[in-house]
Amino acid sequence: MQQFRIAPSILSADFARLGEEVTRVIEAGADLIHFDVMDNHYVPNLTFGPMVCAALKPYSTVPVDVHLMVEPVDDLILSFAKAGADIITFHPEASRHVDRSLSLIKDSGCQAGLVLNPATPVYVLENVLDRLDMVLLMSVNPGFGGQSFIPQTLVKIRQVRDLLDMYECESGRKIALEVDGGIKTDNIAAVAAAGADTFVAGSAIFGQADYKAVIDKMRQELASAFS
């Protein structure tokens, strides 16, 4: 049976109570904590640094999923690995040497992934699949939370799913497919049906009073779509 993971993005959490927010959302059923790192350079916003990740790590009993929207990436890869990241993903456009950046992540003991923006072609994955543990597809343009899901992403999810399934058949190694942007209870089943297995949700969870009710509803939607 397909295993799905829900990764609440603390970009939409209450910044004044981040430790408490991490605890609450994990108790509500989160599988990962998604950590959006923006530098006001690669994307037009500024969020968290490694010190915040290190401070929140003791609150997280699930893996910390760090998404680097920064340029350049290599120094921050090392900093976030030291700060306690379990998974580190970055955008290929932000690295001069993608293979080298992936090697830095793996050599630091973290899982590694690439992030594809809505207009980034799928073929950039083909020569580095052996280095990847995760592919993250952006279903919005990166930089801000609360955006609407781009429907064309469903086509891209299917394309990447086919590529990853082919690689798994050849290598025996599974690569996770994560989607980030506009994920809600009313579209999560369609995103899963296209081939995603990991779902980043920010305002859809942290914008509600009852985190558990939202996560439970997401799981119900996933279960009903695959029953």
Side-chain angles (χ1 to χ4, degrees), residues 15 18 22 26-27 29 47 59-60 67-68 70 80 82-83 103-104 110-111 120-121 134 151 164 167 178 213 223:
F15 284 15
L18 277 180
V22 168
I26 291 172
E27 290 175 348
T47 58
Y59 292 87
S60 185
H67 171 196
L68 295 179
V70 303
F80 273 96
K82 291 177 182 176
S103 294
L104 284 176
C110 300
Q111 293 186 30
T120 304
M134 176 182 283
L164 299 186
Y167 174 74
E178 184 173 42

Side-chain angles (χ1 to χ4, degrees), residues 32-166:
L32 304 170
I33 293 297
H34 193 76
F35 202 90
D36 286 302
V37 182
M38 305 181 190
D39 65 354
N40 196 34
H41 180 64
Y42 180 73
V43 292
N45 203 350
L46 185 66
T47 58
F48 317 102
M51 291 175 64
V52 177
C53 183
L56 290 178
K57 180 66 174 178
Y59 292 87
S60 185
T61 55
V62 300
V64 175
D65 174 23
V66 172
H67 171 196
L68 295 179
M69 289 169 270
V70 303
E71 185 179 8
V73 299
D74 289 355
D75 286 346
L76 283 176
I77 284 171
L78 297 174
S79 296
F80 273 96
K82 291 177 182 176
D86 297 287
I87 306 164
I88 299 177
T89 60
F90 66 93
H91 295 252
E93 300 93 339
S95 172
R96 290 189 177 183
H97 304 284
V98 170
D99 186 77
R100 180 181 297 162
S101 297
L102 289 169
S103 294
L104 284 176
I105 299 172
K106 303 290 280 185
D107 291 347
S108 297
C110 300
Q111 293 186 30
L114 283 183
V115 188
L116 303 190
N117 288 328
T120 304
V122 172
Y123 67 75
V124 302
L125 302 172
E126 293 177 357
N127 293 319
V128 292
L129 287 170
D130 62 318
R131 299 297 185 97
L132 300 181
D133 301 290
M134 176 182 283
V135 174
L136 170 54
L137 296 185
M138 296 301 298
S139 44
V140 298
N141 287 295
F144 298 95
Q147 299 182 67
S148 297
F149 183 89
I150 297 173
Q152 181 65 19
T153 308
L154 293 173
V155 176
K156 195 171 191 177
I157 294 169
R158 295 185 193 102
Q159 292 172 343
V160 175
R161 179 78 274 156
D162 288 345
L163 177 65
L164 299 186
D165 285 349
M166 186 181 307

